[in-house]
Amino acid sequence: MTTCPFCEINEGRAPAEFVREWSDAIAIVPLNPVVEGHTLVIPKTHVADFASDPTVSASTMRRAAQLMQQTDRPMNLITSRGAEATQSVFHLHLHLVPRAANDGLALPWYSGRRKQSSCGPECSEMHTETGRCEIARNR
């Protein structure tokens, strides 16, 4: 049986840098924060993901919202369900990721793939989702 690292932290058997603690959840700094201020909000009750127990999920979200009332910084709130959705620890946790213009962070669902633009059949270039070629610009 694999030991849950978040249960270990919740039970005091593993270290963590605590940001805040409530009766039903904790907020900690992740081992490898992607930016300054990256925080995880984790319920004390072990549930695998946000769909496992809607009550626990909702109370964890409430704690994340309470924590973020202290700032007006742009922020992503990210959680995942399943390995295919980038979940790596199977205990519900919410990532609070502060954002800034041009910070270079790609969201987990950004594929980086390019798609064919709507320039028309005369254009064979590939474009990013927001890019346009000279043919389209000159129409």
Side-chain angles (χ1 to χ4, degrees):
M1 180 178 163
T2 306
T3 303
C4 173
F6 294 153
C7 288
E8 292 293 298
I9 291 168
N10 274 319
E11 294 169 13
R13 294 192 299 256
E17 183 180 338
F18 281 73
V19 173
R20 186 145 174 208
E21 183 171 8
W22 300 269
S23 61
D24 58 347
I26 61 172
I28 64 171
V29 176
L31 289 177
N32 298 300
V34 295
V35 294
E36 180 75 26
H38 181 181
T39 303
L40 300 178
V41 180
I42 306 162
K44 290 186 175 181
T45 301
H46 182 93
V47 295
D49 56 55
F50 62 85
S52 297
D53 187 324
T55 301
V56 171
S57 296
S59 65
T60 305
M61 176 65 183
R62 183 179 66 249
R63 296 306 187 190
Q66 289 170 341
L67 188 62
M68 289 302 100
Q69 285 181 319
Q70 302 169 12
T71 182
D72 61 354
R73 290 178 71 183
M75 184 85 49
N76 285 120
L77 184 144
I78 303 168
T79 191
S80 302
R81 180 184 186 200
E84 298 83 358
T86 73
Q87 186 178 9
S88 59
V89 177
F90 293 87
H91 181 130
L92 172 65
H93 56 289
L94 307 178
H95 291 262
L96 298 172
V97 183
R99 300 304 300 266
N102 301 311
D103 62 16
L105 291 178
L107 294 172
W109 53 86
Y110 175 70
S111 69
R113 287 184 273 167
R114 299 165 79 82
K115 69 179 187 176
Q116 186 70 36
S117 76
S118 58
C119 296
E122 69 275 17
C123 182
S124 61
E125 293 184 42
M126 296 298 282
H127 306 281
T128 63
E129 292 178 17
T130 58
R132 294 189 58 164
C133 74
E134 289 302 312
I135 293 171
R137 225 181 314 230
N138 294 325
R139 285 192 180 154

